[in-house]
Structure formats: structure tokens, C-alpha cells
């Protein structure tokens, strides 16, 4: 885990992602926390529907929308450094996010987005990674590779997730500072 790896005062926010076309709660988010107890609280409050739909995918890009438009973080605003965002799943990513669905989930007046547009928007302030859990005959990594390139991590056992994330966070902490946040040109 990140804390066990010696990262002091991490700010971690857990989200739960479902299917915006079929689920009643396709996106849920906690708060950024740095203690085991508070992180555990948010994990326990997540409601996983598990119903699945017939559209062969999940709405992973909702987490990118959240990160891009609904977070305020010191590392971005004060230190001008990108954060890390991990999505984890065993399904393909849904490609289209209609304005009415985004308005229902996030409020406000949103425009229709694609997974690519939300990925690019979130990538301005976040280094995005996806952990694809491959099991059985279902393989989804080809679709994810198009978006993530070398930031796609394919695993076969979900129990490897904490170690994978801990390794990435530790490597980044021990290397040069993260990329600067993209600043608008003046």
C-alpha cells in the first residue's frame, strides 16, 4: 500500500464507477484523506451495484471528469505538479458520455463528451494509469492500450493492486518531481 511504502501524508480519494447507462449510482466519490481510518471509512460507504448492463462496458471516464472538473488540490494549484489517478477494472471503457447523463451525475450544464476528450482534459493535471484485471477469456487491454500506452498495467490477480499502485507512487516520489501542470498560454 501507499502508506506501507513510506509515503507520508498521501491524499487519497476513492471513487466507485459503474455504468451511466444502466446503474442508479454510476459514480460515487469520497474525500481526499491521508489516514487509514478515514480512507477505510470512504471505502466502506461505497455502494457497489454489480448489476451489469448489456452494453459491454463501464463508465471509467466519469473518474476523469471528476478529477478534471470537480477537484481542488494543493499539488496542482500551489505546487504546479500533476497528481496520480488510477482507474481499475475488468471491463472495456464506454466511449460516449451524453450531456444529460453528465448533468444528472455531476450537476450543472455539461456538454456531451467522449472517453478521449475526458482523458485529455484530466491529463492536463493528472498522470492517469489504468489497471486492467484480465481473467478468464475476457481480455480488454487492447482498448485500454490505445488511451494509456505504457501507463496501462495488466494484472491477473486483483490482490496485486495495492502493490502495483504502491510501486508507482514510490517510484514517482523517488524520481524527479512530477510533470508541471499544463498552464494556459498567455
Amino acid at each position: 500500500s501507499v502508506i506501507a511504502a513510506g509515503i507520508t501524508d498521501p491524499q487519497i480519494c476513492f471513487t466507485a464507477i459503474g455504468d451511466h447507462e444502466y446503474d442508479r449510482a454510476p459514480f460515487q466519490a469520497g474525500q481526499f484523506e491521508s489516514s487509514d481510518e478515514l480512507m477505510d471509512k470512504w471505502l466502506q460507504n461505497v455502494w457497489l451495484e454489480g448489476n451489469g448492463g448489456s452494453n459491454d462496458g463501464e463508465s471509467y471516464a466519469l473518474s476523469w471528469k471528476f478529477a478534471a472538473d470537480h477537484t481542488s488540490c494543493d499539488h496542482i494549484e500551489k505546487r504546479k505538479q500533476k497528481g496520480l489517478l488510477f482507474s481499475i477494472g475488468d471491463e472495456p471503457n464506454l466511449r460516449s458520455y451524453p450531456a444529460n447523463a453528465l448533468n444528472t451525475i455531476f450537476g450543472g450544464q455539461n456538454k456531451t463528451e467522449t472517453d478521449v476528450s475526458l482523458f485529455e482534459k484530466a491529463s492536463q493535471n493528472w498522470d492517469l494509469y489504468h489497471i486492467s484485471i484480465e481473467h478468464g477469456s475476457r481480455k480488454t487491454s487492447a482498448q485500454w492500450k490505445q488511451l494509456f500506452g505504457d501507463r496501462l498495467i495488466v494484472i491477473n490477480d486483483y490482490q496485486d493492486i495495492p502493490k502495483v499502485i504502491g510501486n508507482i507512487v514510490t517510484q514517482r516520489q523517488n524520481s524527479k518531481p512530477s510533470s508541471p501542470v499544463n498552464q494556459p498560454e498567455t
Side-chain angles (χ1 to χ4, degrees), residues 153-164:
I153 297 105
V154 178
I155 63 173
N156 295 311
D157 186 349
Y158 73 91
Q159 293 180 359
D160 292 336
I161 293 169
K163 181 180 175 185
V164 167

Side-chain angles (χ1 to χ4, degrees), residues 1-23:
S1 87
V2 172
I3 293 173
I7 306 299
T8 57
D9 298 319
Q11 292 295 309
I12 298 173
C13 176
F14 291 104
T15 64
I17 301 162
D19 183 332
H20 73 273
E21 295 177 357
Y22 288 95
D23 289 338

Side-chain angles (χ1 to χ4, degrees), residues 12 26-28 53 64 70 87 91 102 113-114 117 119 130 132 134 139 163 178:
I12 298 173
F27 183 76
Q28 300 167 66
W64 310 334
H70 298 280
S87 54
E91 296 275 338
L102 295 174
E113 299 271 9
T114 65
S117 67
F119 181 90
H130 182 73
S132 181
E134 305 271 323
K139 307 292 182 206
K163 181 180 175 185
S178 65

Side-chain angles (χ1 to χ4, degrees), residues 11-149:
Q11 292 295 309
I12 298 173
C13 176
F14 291 104
T15 64
I17 301 162
D19 183 332
H20 73 273
E21 295 177 357
Y22 288 95
D23 289 338
R24 290 179 285 163
F27 183 76
Q28 300 167 66
Q31 294 185 149
F32 284 90
E33 304 289 3
S34 60
S35 75
D36 285 337
E37 297 80 22
L38 291 172
M39 285 186 265
D40 192 49
K41 171 192 162 207
W42 289 108
L43 277 174
Q44 289 181 27
N45 287 331
V46 169
W47 174 50
L48 298 177
E49 290 183 67
N51 295 330
S54 60
N55 59 355
D56 197 35
E58 299 289 347
S59 303
Y60 297 100
L62 294 176
S63 67
W64 310 334
K65 167 88 173 147
F66 173 74
D69 294 341
H70 298 280
T71 59
S72 175
C73 303
D74 285 352
H75 68 275
I76 296 168
E77 295 166 8
K78 293 181 180 176
R79 293 185 287 283
K80 307 297 184 213
Q81 294 180 345
K82 289 186 175 187
L84 293 170
L85 188 152
F86 295 90
S87 54
I88 303 165
D90 64 352
E91 296 275 338
N93 186 39
L94 294 178
R95 299 295 178 113
S96 179
Y97 296 82
N100 64 342
L102 295 174
N103 292 342
T104 299
I105 296 165
F106 293 104
Q109 295 296 312
N110 296 279
K111 65 178 185 166
T112 295
E113 299 271 9
T114 65
D115 61 338
V116 173
S117 67
L118 291 170
F119 181 90
E120 289 171 352
K121 197 174 189 182
S123 293
Q124 292 176 15
N125 292 328
W126 300 86
D127 288 332
L128 279 62
Y129 291 83
H130 182 73
I131 301 172
S132 181
I133 305 167
E134 305 271 323
H135 51 84
S137 62
R138 183 174 211 156
K139 307 292 182 206
T140 63
S141 59
Q143 181 217 26
W144 288 109
K145 188 76 171 167
Q146 292 174 356
L147 275 175
F148 284 88

